[in-house]
């Protein structure tokens, strides 16, 4: 029990200071019937560091890591190269093992980083202000819908068919209980997203329209007309970005008039990690800031006039407003936000643009090669680093077949939209700077074989 | 922002006549001032290299006319500058690696580095959430093993692994209650009873899930008022949200009776399990009649808090609520592990209330928590509870002669001891004691929570502190408390030795500055 420093002698001394005979005296308030008299039966006892390491390593080896295979999965989580210094810096104990900065005088490191993160996120998404992170993109998306309800005092949200189906699923779960009305639709396997079609759906009950950019099939479309249409009907436009690297190459949703922009930050600085922890991005215009959920860091001065940072506007939050709070969120994802911020600082604007260009060129090259394969058709001519192929047969078994050969081919729309026949031949393929030409050639030849 | 430091930022320059204590740079030996990245970086600088691509930049894009034209304004730093910037910032932080973090209700304990190493194994860290299930059997097995431990340690029936944090776990628990009531055709039960000593997230969660919140008072001895609770039960009550051990640091002696009464009245019992580390291995919440309880993995099982997250809040469920658990989850079958999602939720899981997050929850935290659990084993975890309770009572009994301890006579405290500002002279308050502790080299305890105690100071030492550490902390705590009681004015102006003196939180809220603006822009906005 190497993590417990008390010795038997210490425990004895301490019990005598307390005035208790045995440790059981300190548990007298537990009803007798609920007391356990020894370690719970059926669970192993403590183990050495070496033994635990062996056990966990054996479990890890049962997985096919992304880096060990030609890899093309995206659909909301992306494999990018993270510079070594990012992980080194977030493992510094002063960041890793610090608490929420409620005592700002000895938490300026975390607070200044949060302020920098907020500033970076706001600029990237094209908004005035951002919060200091949410759990992930999907929960940030629901929080944005709730915020739009609060701002507009209307309860109907229109969700684009291009929105990640898991994000739609999260919203559906919550709406069932909160009374929000969701107008949701399925994507159509075609070249353009439903951006223009959504305009006609906006009415006097609409709180917001939610679109993803680039969308679940990798498509991008100008959001300006949709933003204007929302504003004309006093509704909000919420844009969801699941691949923020894209914003190094394409216009931000904020520039095109989105009122709230949320995102999944995972692709910058945070690894795949089988789905979490990730980092939710959340930005909006300045006038909406008091309706924003989550944690905010603000600039101020100390008693000597020196610049410093504190958590602020906490009057929106659960620890003051209790049941009237804007959200029940208490934790954010600060360590992941730190990783995001460090990676973004290393990139800078110049590096981000290069990274985005490299992703885009690689994806163009891959789409050219793959669409030469008989039985493969590129359905999305406009994209950033992710595009959708239509295969001559159902994509899901093809993906499984290729995985057995050690190729992680992409995300089949059959997995994301089970039972939707019109989508089952769709395969979403993501290409990043980690994808090599050999990877693409391997996938092409395996697809050629599988579709023959 | 294309050249370095166009903003004009410069460190504090020495005042005339103060040359003994001032420096040219504003730094003081190892205490280094650090500007913002926006003040030292430039949009042309980068700390990364990309492989040379001959045709890069001269390609025809496929962006549909949406290529970025306007600058974003993101500063870059070279790699050495980046490493220095964040290393310098890190030195402005207190952390558990530096010393005792006596935060009540937040459990800041030692974070073993083995957990970090295991979470970074490529098989876990470099695994896509939508990878075919045959290629991630080891990851599913981690989830299954952790689930087995959580169910067994709590004596419950099932566990929902996906909630992203404690408060998200609360949401999961109350949604399961909602789903169970709806399945019984009792959608009219809309009121959740919440003791006034509860974490603020409890009422916020209930409201977020569209319940109505009603408070339940506490007794003078710091526990839920059983009579008041029973009196309020009835056909409109969905259930109760209770914290046990509670935020006054006490075990709810009447927990079984509370559960029985709530069940008899047709409601469910939600338990905030934030303080599970005080009873793990000694008490199973399932034996107390609890229907749902979240477990903050960072608190009981030592995943790092990271300056405020990420968290992870799996929720254990009773037999009554298990059918309503959210998707996705892992199931063991003869051929391996399978992932139950929307499409594979058979009649066995038909009651599920749906999906709470995009993927499977905080896998990176599961790996860390499982590593910690296996290191401790069933015997070590029981010792965790005993040592955390022992350490807290040691602090309670070592301070109660000097500081008011409102529940000192209510029985032993569990893992945290509570004090109040009663007895401090006019003009001195809890915050002064807290800031005084900073100068002694400690992070202050939790202050002004729970609300049921005036000027509360909630101290939680945790089980990973030695007696020597506790003795030194007690000495410092007594010294600061004594100085405050004696009206020492220097306590009012503490901290004196921190990187910053007291910060003006009112100014920050009155004139919010939430993002960096170049000085010219900021001036124009004035």
């Amino acid at each position: 029990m190497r993590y417990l420093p008390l010795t038997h002698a210490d425990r004895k001394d301490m019990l005598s200071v307390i005035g208790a005979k045995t440790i059981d005296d300190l548990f007298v308030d537990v009803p007798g019937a609920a007391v356990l008299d020894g370690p719970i039966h059926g669970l192993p006892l403590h183990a050495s560091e070496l033994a635990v390491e062996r056990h966990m390593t054996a479990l890890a080896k049962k997985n096919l890591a992304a880096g060990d295979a030609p890899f093309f999965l995206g659909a909301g989580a992306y494999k990018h190269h993270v510079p070594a210094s990012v992980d080194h810096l977030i493992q510094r104990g002063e960041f890793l093992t610090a608490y929420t900065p409620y005592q700002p005088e000895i938490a300026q490191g975390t607070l200044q980083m949060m302020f920098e993160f907020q500033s970076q996120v706001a600029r990237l998404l094209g908004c005035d202000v951002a919060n200091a992170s949410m759990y992930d993109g999907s929960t940030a998306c629901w929080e944005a819908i709730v915020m739009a309800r609060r701002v507009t005092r209307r309860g109907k949200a229109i969700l684009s068919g291009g929105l990640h189906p898991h994000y739609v699923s999260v919203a559906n779960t919550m709406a069932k209980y909160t009374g929000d009305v969701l107008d949701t639709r399925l994507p159509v396997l075609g070249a353009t997203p439903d951006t223009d079609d959504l305009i006609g759906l906006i009415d006097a009950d609409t709180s917001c329209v939610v679109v993803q950019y680039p969308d679940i099939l990798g498509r991008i479309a100008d959001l300006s007309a949709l933003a204007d249409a929302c504003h004309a009907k006093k509704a909000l436009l919420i844009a969801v970005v699941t691949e923020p690297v894209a914003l190094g190459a394409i216009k931000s949703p904020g520039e095109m008039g989105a009122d709230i922009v949320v995102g999944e930050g995972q692709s910058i600085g945070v690894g795949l990690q089988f789905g979490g922890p990730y980092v939710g991005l959340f930005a909006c215009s300045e006038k909406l800031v008091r309706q924003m959920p989550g944690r905010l860091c603000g600039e101020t001065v100390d008693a000597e006039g020196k610049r410093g940072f504190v958590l602020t506007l906490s009057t929106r939050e659960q620890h003051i407003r209790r049941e009237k709070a804007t959200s029940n969120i208490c934790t954010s994802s600060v360590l992941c936000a730190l990783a995001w911020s460090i990676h973004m600082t290393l990139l800078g604007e110049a590096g981000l643009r290069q990274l985005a260009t490299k992703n885009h060129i690689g994806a163009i090259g891959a789409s050219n090669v793959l669409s030469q394969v008989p039985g493969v058709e590129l359905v999305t001519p406009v994209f950033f680093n992710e595009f959708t192929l239509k295969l001559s047969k159902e994509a899901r078994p093809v993906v499984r077949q290729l995985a057995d050969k050690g190729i992680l081919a992409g995300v089949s729309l059959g997995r994301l939209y089970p039972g939707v026949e019109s989508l089952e031949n769709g395969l979403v393929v993501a290409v990043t700077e980690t994808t090599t030409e050999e990877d693409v050639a391997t996938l092409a030849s395996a697809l050629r074989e599988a579709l023959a | 922002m294309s050249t370095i430091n166009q903003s004009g930022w410069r460190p504090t320059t020495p005042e005339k006549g103060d040359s003994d204590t001032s420096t040219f740079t504003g730094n003081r030996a190892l205490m280094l001032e650090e500007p913002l990245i926006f003040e030292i970086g430039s949009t042309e600088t980068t700390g990364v290299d990309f492989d040379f691509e001959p045709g890069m930049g001269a390609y025809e894009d496929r962006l549909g006319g949406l290529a970025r034209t306007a600058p974003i304004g993101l500063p870059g730093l070279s790699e050495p500058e980046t490493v220095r910037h964040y290393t310098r910032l890190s030195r402005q932080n207190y952390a558990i690696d530096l010393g005792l973090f006596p935060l009540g209700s937040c459990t800041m304990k030692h974070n073993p580095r083995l957990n970090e190493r295991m979470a970074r194994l490529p098989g876990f860290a470099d695994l896509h959430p939508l990878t075919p299930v045959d290629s991630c059997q080891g990851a599913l097995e981690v989830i299954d093993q952790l689930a087995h431990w959580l169910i067994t340690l709590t004596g419950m029936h099932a566990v929902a692994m996906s909630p992203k944090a404690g408060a998200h776990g609360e949401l999961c628990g109350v949604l399961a209650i909602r789903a169970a009531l709806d399945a019984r055709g009792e959608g009219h039960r809309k009121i959740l009873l919440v003791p006034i000593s509860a974490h603020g997230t409890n009422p916020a969660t209930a409201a977020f899930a569209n319940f109505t919140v009603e408070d339940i008072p506490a007794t003078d001895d710091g526990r839920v008022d059983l009579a008041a609770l029973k009196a309020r039960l009835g056909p409109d009550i969905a259930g109760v949200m209770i914290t046990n051990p509670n935020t006054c640091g006490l075990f709810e002696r009447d927990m079984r009776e509370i559960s029985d009464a709530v069940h008899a009245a047709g409601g469910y019992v939600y338990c905030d399990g934030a303080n599970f580390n005080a009873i793990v291995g000694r008490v199973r919440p399932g034996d107390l009649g609890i229907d749902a309880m979240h477990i903050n993995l960072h608190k009981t099982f030592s995943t790092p808090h990271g300056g405020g997250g990420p968290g992870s809040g799996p929720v254990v469920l009773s037999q009554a609520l298990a059918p309503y658990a959210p998707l996705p989850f892992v199931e063991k079958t003869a051929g391996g592990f399978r992932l139950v999602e929307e499409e594979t939720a058979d009649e066995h899981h038909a009651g599920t209330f749906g999906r709470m997050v995009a993927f499977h929850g905080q896998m990176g935290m599961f790996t860390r928590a499982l590593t910690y659990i296996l290191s401790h084993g069933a015997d070590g975890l029981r010792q965790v509870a005993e040592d955390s309770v022992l350490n807290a009572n040691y602090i309670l009994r070592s301070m109660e002669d000097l500081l008011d301890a409102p529940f000192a006579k209510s029985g032993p405290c569990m893992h945290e001891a509570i004090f109040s500002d009663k007895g401090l002279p006019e003009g001195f308050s809890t915050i002064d004691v807290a800031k005084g502790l900073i100068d002694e080299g400690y992070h202050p305890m939790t202050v002004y929570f729970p609300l049921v105690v005036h000027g509360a100071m909630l101290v939680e030492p945790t089980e990973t502190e030695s007696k020597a550490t506790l003795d030194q902390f007690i000495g410092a705590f007594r010294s600061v408390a004594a100085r405050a009681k004696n009206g020492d004015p220097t306590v009012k102006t503490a901290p004196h030795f921190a990187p910053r003196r007291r910060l003006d939180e009112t100014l920050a809220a009155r004139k919010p500055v939430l993002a960096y603006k170049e000085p010219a822009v900021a001036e124009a906005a004035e």
Side-chain angles (χ1 to χ4, degrees):
Chain A
M1 293 178 208
R2 55 195 177 277
Y3 306 141
L4 302 177
L6 294 184
T7 64
H8 291 302
D10 290 336
R11 292 184 183 116
K12 226 177 121 198
D13 284 356
M14 291 164 75
L15 281 171
S16 79
V17 169
I18 293 165
K21 277 202 200 70
T22 69
I23 190 75
D24 292 340
D25 293 351
L26 302 181
F27 288 87
V28 289
D29 288 325
V30 178
V35 173
L36 297 166
D37 53 9
I40 292 177
H41 186 67
L43 294 173
L45 303 183
H46 66 277
S48 70
E49 178 153 340
L50 178 59
V52 175
E53 216 171 308
R54 277 195 188 121
H55 177 86
M56 296 302 290
T57 306
L59 288 174
K61 283 193 177 145
K62 292 184 183 178
N63 302 314
L64 178 57
D68 290 340
F71 178 85
F72 298 90
L73 274 67
Y78 300 87
K79 178 174 172 57
H80 288 286
H81 177 255
V82 180
S85 43
V86 174
D87 193 43
H88 171 80
L89 289 166
I90 70 165
Q91 284 203 69
R92 283 189 64 87
E94 303 92 326
F95 284 131
L96 185 77
T97 74
Y99 179 64
T100 307
Y102 290 137
Q103 296 289 340
E105 296 84 1
I106 45 170
Q108 286 297 301
T110 293
L111 285 160
Q112 181 170 333
M113 175 281 286
M114 288 163 78
F115 184 80
E116 292 173 345
F117 171 82
Q118 288 173 187
S119 308
Q120 288 172 312
V121 171
R123 288 182 181 202
L124 184 68
L125 302 183
C127 297
D128 303 328
V129 287
N131 72 11
S133 82
M134 315 286 284
Y135 305 139
D136 76 342
S138 66
T139 52
C141 177
W142 171 249
E143 293 279 354
I145 294 170
V146 176
M147 178 168 153
R149 184 215 308 154
R150 253 191 330 266
V151 170
T152 61
R153 297 169 188 278
R154 302 172 182 176
K156 189 177 95 180
I158 299 167
L159 275 51
S160 155
L163 181 60
H164 196 296
H166 288 177
Y167 288 37
V168 175
S169 197
V170 171
N172 271 326
T173 296
M174 291 307 303
K176 252 190 318 194
Y177 299 105
T178 56
D180 292 73
V181 177
L182 300 184
D183 182 354
T184 64
R185 50 213 56 241
L186 286 169
V188 175
L189 207 53
T192 46
D194 55 7
T195 323
D196 291 340
D197 306 340
L198 298 174
I199 291 176
L201 302 174
I202 307 167
D203 61 21
D205 300 325
T206 306
S207 63
C208 59
V209 175
V210 187
V211 291
Q212 187 173 313
Y213 173 88
D215 81 350
I216 186 66
L217 302 190
R219 302 171 298 195
I220 38 184
D222 195 329
L223 304 177
S224 309
L226 180 59
D228 290 343
C230 285
H231 300 152
K233 295 261 169 67
K234 296 195 184 336
L236 303 187
L237 177 62
I238 297 172
V240 178
V241 179
T242 62
E243 171 49 300
V245 173
L247 301 185
I250 54 177
K251 280 182 185 155
S252 68
E255 278 175 83
M256 294 184 283
D259 302 279
I260 304 174
V261 186
V262 297
E264 173 50 72
Q266 174 274 332
S267 81
I268 295 172
V270 183
L272 288 169
Q273 305 192 84
F274 203 48
Y278 286 177
V279 52
L281 312 179
F282 198 115
C284 67
S285 58
E286 196 134 33
K287 63 177 197 291
L288 298 179
V289 70
R290 281 169 205 271
Q291 294 300 328
M292 195 186 228
R295 192 167 286 161
L296 285 168
C297 171
E299 188 182 315
T300 188
V301 293
D302 78 350
E304 290 176 341
K306 282 186 180 168
R307 178 172 72 186
F309 301 92
V310 294
L311 295 182
T312 194
L313 301 184
S314 47
T315 43
R316 306 159 300 123
E317 288 190 78
Q318 34 75 26
H319 59 273
I320 293 182
R321 293 265 286 168
R322 291 171 73 87
E323 71 268 24
K324 293 186 187 69
T326 58
S327 164
N328 74 327
I329 284 190
C330 171
T331 309
S332 54
S333 206
V334 174
L335 195 66
C336 300
L338 172 67
W340 194 98
S341 196
I342 297 171
H343 192 180
M344 189 56 93
T345 300
L346 280 166
L347 288 168
E349 180 143 354
L352 178 69
R353 284 177 181 259
Q354 282 179 47
L355 174 64
T357 306
K358 202 170 157 52
N359 273 251
H360 186 51
I361 292 177
I364 293 172
S367 73
N368 288 340
V369 171
L370 295 171
S371 52
Q372 298 302 310
V373 175
V376 175
E377 181 197 335
L378 175 70
V379 292
T380 54
V382 170
F383 56 83
F384 168 61
N385 68 349
E386 193 169 21
F387 49 84
T388 298
L389 302 175
K390 187 175 178 186
L391 308 185
S392 54
K393 55 166 93 158
E394 198 185 336
R396 201 164 186 191
V398 174
V399 167
R400 278 198 289 251
Q401 199 183 325
L402 266 56
D404 289 342
K405 295 184 177 172
I407 302 164
L408 296 168
V411 178
S412 65
L413 289 175
R415 169 135 190 207
L416 291 175
Y417 300 93
V420 181
E421 227 170 275
S422 62
L423 294 172
E424 65 187 17
N425 288 21
L427 178 67
V428 183
V429 174
V431 173
T432 72
E433 75 286 357
T434 66
T435 317
T436 65
E437 281 181 26
E438 294 76 45
D439 292 339
V440 175
T442 307
L443 175 61
S445 88
L447 270 179
R448 193 178 298 269
E449 205 176 300
L451 297 176
Chain B
M1 205 188 47
S2 58
T3 55
I4 290 175
N5 197 12
Q6 202 178 44
S7 73
W9 178 86
R10 59 201 172 101
T12 315
T13 44
E15 299 280 327
K16 276 200 179 108
D18 194 20
S19 56
D20 294 349
T21 54
S22 298
T23 56
F24 170 74
T25 54
N27 298 330
R28 291 186 172 209
L30 289 173
M31 277 325 294
L32 306 172
E33 290 291 317
E34 184 61 12
L36 293 163
I37 50 173
F38 293 88
E39 294 161 337
I40 51 175
S42 90
T43 51
E44 274 116 60
T45 306
T46 181
V48 294
D49 279 330
F50 290 99
D51 303 331
F52 177 68
E53 300 266 346
M56 199 158 151
Y59 66 100
E60 192 119 339
D61 76 50
R62 300 273 283 275
L63 299 171
L66 289 167
R68 267 246 194 220
T69 47
I72 311 170
L74 291 169
L77 295 174
S78 66
E79 181 171 314
E81 290 170 307
T82 303
V83 170
R84 276 198 190 142
H85 175 72
Y86 289 98
T87 303
R88 288 177 171 205
L89 285 188
S90 75
R91 293 162 49 99
Q92 319 273 330
N93 267 5
Y94 193 91
I96 193 73
D97 281 1
L98 287 167
L100 171 65
F101 228 124
L103 283 168
S105 101
C106 290
T107 315
M108 292 294 288
K109 63 174 68 174
H110 171 60
N111 294 146
R113 290 313 192 272
L114 176 63
N115 302 355
E116 296 303 307
R117 187 193 280 177
M118 296 301 97
R120 284 171 173 80
L121 291 169
F124 299 133
D126 192 24
L127 195 61
H128 192 283
L130 295 170
T131 208
V133 287
D134 288 341
S135 340
C136 59
Q137 287 289 305
L140 299 181
E141 197 170 341
V142 165
I143 297 177
D144 184 71
Q145 285 188 5
L146 180 59
H148 175 72
W149 275 91
L150 296 180
I151 290 169
T152 310
L153 287 170
T154 54
M156 301 288 278
H157 192 77
V159 60
M161 297 295 284
S162 69
K164 289 264 178 184
H168 204 224
E170 293 173 22
L171 188 59
C172 172
V174 300
L175 288 182
I177 290 174
R178 180 77 272 159
L181 290 170
D182 289 348
R184 277 166 37 189
E186 297 192 48
H188 58 273
R189 290 179 181 261
K190 287 208 185 295
I191 296 170
L192 273 174
L193 303 177
V194 183
I196 50 168
S197 60
H199 290 119
T201 48
N202 290 178
T205 296
F208 202 63
N210 214 14
F211 282 99
T212 305
V213 178
E214 277 187 28
D215 292 340
I216 294 293
T219 57
D220 290 343
D221 86 338
R223 293 185 169 88
V224 171
D225 187 330
L226 180 64
L229 175 81
K230 279 184 170 171
R232 189 56 195 88
L233 292 173
D236 54 344
I237 301 296
V240 59
M241 292 182 87
I242 206 161
T243 304
N244 193 23
N246 72 21
T247 52
C248 296
L250 301 169
F251 194 86
E252 293 288 352
R253 287 178 194 138
D254 301 324
M255 193 63 229
R256 185 75 238 188
E257 207 178 339
I258 292 171
S259 300
D260 291 346
V262 173
H263 290 157
Y268 294 98
V269 180
Y270 185 85
C271 181
D272 184 321
N275 303 328
F276 185 53
N277 65 314
I279 56 170
V280 59
R282 284 202 65 113
V283 184
R284 295 186 305 177
D287 296 338
L288 298 167
I290 283 156
D291 291 297
M293 181 179 93
H294 75 266
I295 300 168
N296 301 70
L297 292 184
H298 78 273
K299 294 186 176 183
T300 302
F301 302 119
S302 84
T303 68
H305 203 271
S312 180
V315 177
V316 286
L317 298 165
S318 65
Q319 191 146 18
L321 293 187
Y324 309 102
L327 301 170
F329 49 86
V330 174
E331 230 176 39
K332 204 173 189 166
T333 67
F337 295 91
R338 85 184 180 109
L339 197 57
V340 179
E341 294 184 282
E342 282 82 348
E343 60 167 324
T344 39
D346 47 28
E347 68 286 349
H348 191 58
H349 308 292
T352 175
F353 69 72
R355 183 183 281 271
M356 294 191 76
V357 287
F359 302 117
H360 322 300
Q362 308 286 62
M363 181 64 193
M365 298 293 120
F366 301 161
T367 342
R368 288 172 176 86
L370 182 61
T371 301
Y372 185 77
I373 283 177
L374 293 172
S375 301
H376 265 306
D379 52 338
L381 289 173
R382 185 177 163 91
Q383 192 70 52
V384 160
E386 294 182 358
D387 286 357
S388 72
V389 170
L390 181 65
N391 282 356
N393 279 281
Y394 186 64
I395 286 181
L396 176 67
R397 300 306 166 194
S398 303
M399 294 297 299
E400 63 180 331
D401 62 316
L402 187 61
L403 276 180
D404 174 57
F407 306 122
K409 292 187 172 61
S410 301
C413 65
M414 296 308 285
H415 59 301
E416 55 195 359
I418 195 163
F419 305 98
S420 84
D421 62 359
K422 199 168 148 189
L424 294 183
E426 183 75 26
F428 283 79
S429 57
T430 289
I431 198 72
D432 302 317
V433 177
K435 300 298 183 194
L437 270 169
I438 290 177
D439 280 340
E440 295 285 346
Y442 289 101
H443 194 282
M445 68 304 267
T446 293
V447 291
Y448 301 106
F449 180 84
L451 305 174
V452 286
V453 171
H454 193 271
M457 302 176 217
L458 187 58
V459 182
E460 177 172 4
T462 84
E463 70 281 1
T464 60
E465 300 304 335
S466 70
K467 179 169 178 292
T469 303
L470 297 183
D471 286 338
Q472 196 202 36
F473 172 71
I474 289 163
F477 196 6
R478 288 187 69 87
S479 163
V480 174
R483 283 167 56 213
K485 282 186 100 164
N486 295 333
D488 179 347
T490 62
V491 181
K492 290 287 309 168
T493 50
H496 302 90
F497 312 127
R500 287 292 179 272
R501 303 294 297 274
R502 283 194 205 190
L503 285 148
D504 189 344
E505 301 193 24
T506 315
L507 173 71
R510 211 178 57 231
K511 293 177 78 176
V513 179
L514 306 172
Y516 178 78
K517 289 193 182 83
E518 274 74 17
V521 180
E523 250 166 61
E526 286 287 312

